[in-house]
Amino acid sequence: MSHNEAEKFYADGNFAGAFSIYENLAKNGDPKAQTSLGYLYQNGEGVEQSFEKAKMWYEEAVKVEYPFALFNLGVLYSNGTGVEKDEKIAFGLFLKSAILEVPHAQFEVGYLLENGIGCDQNYSESAFWYEESAKRGNIEAFNNLGVLYRDGLGVEQNHQKSAHLFKRSADMGNSSAMYNLGFCYDNGLGVEQDHDKALENLRKSAQLGNGKAHEMLQKLRDTGEFAF
């Protein structure tokens, strides 16, 4: 039995079948399978949910610094799921995973550094990790990096680059980026001022459930005008 077979079982919704394969591989020391088994325990897929066993299997894979196990264990500590919440431990695990080029981990490190959660606040380091994550296609990283360039936090302020990053993220479906791009169009920041495009992006953002965009559209309906 192989990872490919387990992945096919999982994709087909046969979680019990996937669990059986991953359990066999995990017990034979396969860190990828150990991580997948931990994930199944964490989510109660194909087996009774057990955060304790999820943590145990992630920790087995972490012994050989398997990148995705580091990230998943970091999520448990970040959320306090099955363990005592500890942002410092979470940051350390995310950082190790980020160094091993896991895009979601790179984003989390950027976010934690931006906000000083579990670590000292450092905007320039935050920008570095957002950029690394964006290089690997993380749509949230494009948006958050755009905010740093818009506000000149940890990087030299650059409205054109900021608007470009917002557009990249918005084109991939990020509602926050659509809102931020609308702000750019409304104020002519990095793009030619265009109130129609501002409103278009605001509506797209609201359709995807962005709360700020909803509030602004409500104001438009109530007063006939809007302003970011």
Side-chain angles (χ1 to χ4, degrees):
M1 303 296 271
S2 68
H3 282 283
N4 287 340
E5 290 172 293
E7 288 164 8
K8 186 177 187 308
F9 276 143
Y10 188 88
D12 291 340
N14 184 353
F15 301 135
F19 177 86
S20 178
I21 295 173
Y22 284 137
E23 184 179 41
N24 183 55
L25 293 171
K27 287 180 177 178
N28 284 294
D30 184 323
K32 182 178 179 180
Q34 290 168 344
T35 304
S36 297
L37 189 62
Y39 184 83
L40 293 177
Y41 271 117
Q42 181 181 344
N43 293 283
E45 294 177 329
V47 66
E48 185 177 350
Q49 189 175 50
S50 172
F51 297 124
E52 182 180 352
K53 288 183 179 178
K55 176 176 176 286
M56 180 193 77
W57 283 112
Y58 290 151
E59 287 176 337
E60 283 298 309
V62 162
K63 288 177 182 177
V64 294
E65 297 202 342
Y66 186 70
F68 295 100
L70 288 161
F71 175 75
N72 288 3
L73 187 58
V75 171
L76 294 187
Y77 277 103
S78 180
N79 296 332
T81 305
V83 296
E84 186 175 347
K85 185 180 177 77
D86 192 319
E87 295 288 4
K88 287 186 178 180
I89 291 177
F91 177 78
L93 290 163
F94 287 144
L95 182 59
K96 286 182 179 180
S97 183
I99 291 168
L100 294 169
E101 301 187 355
V102 175
H104 289 303
Q106 292 170 333
F107 174 82
E108 288 297 330
V109 170
Y111 180 83
L112 295 176
L113 283 164
E114 180 186 0
N115 294 282
I117 300 172
C119 58
D120 293 332
Q121 190 175 52
N122 188 318
Y123 290 120
S124 61
E125 286 291 315
S126 173
F128 170 81
W129 285 112
Y130 281 148
E131 187 160 6
E132 289 299 303
S133 184
K135 285 177 185 176
R136 293 166 178 82
N138 186 291
I139 66 172
E140 291 180 288
F142 282 106
N143 177 65
N144 288 27
L145 184 59
V147 171
L148 296 185
Y149 274 103
R150 183 193 67 196
D151 298 340
L153 296 172
V155 292
E156 185 175 347
Q157 190 174 51
N158 186 326
H159 289 304
Q160 284 187 322
K161 186 162 187 175
S162 175
H164 172 72
L165 289 163
F166 290 146
K167 189 174 188 310
R168 287 285 302 274
S169 187
D171 286 346
M172 291 186 282
N174 186 289
S175 67
S176 295
M178 292 170 189
Y179 178 89
N180 289 331
L181 184 59
F183 178 89
C184 292
Y185 277 117
D186 195 47
N187 293 279
L189 295 176
V191 291
E192 186 175 346
Q193 191 173 45
D194 189 323
H195 296 302
D196 289 337
K197 286 186 178 179
L199 184 56
E200 177 188 351
N201 278 281
L202 192 65
R203 284 175 171 153
K204 286 180 179 178
S205 179
Q207 286 171 359
L208 291 174
N210 186 281
K212 288 182 180 179
H214 271 296
E215 289 177 12
M216 292 192 65
L217 287 178
Q218 185 61 52
K219 182 179 179 181
L220 176 63
R221 286 189 287 268
D222 292 343
T223 67
E225 59 183 31
F226 75 95
F228 283 86

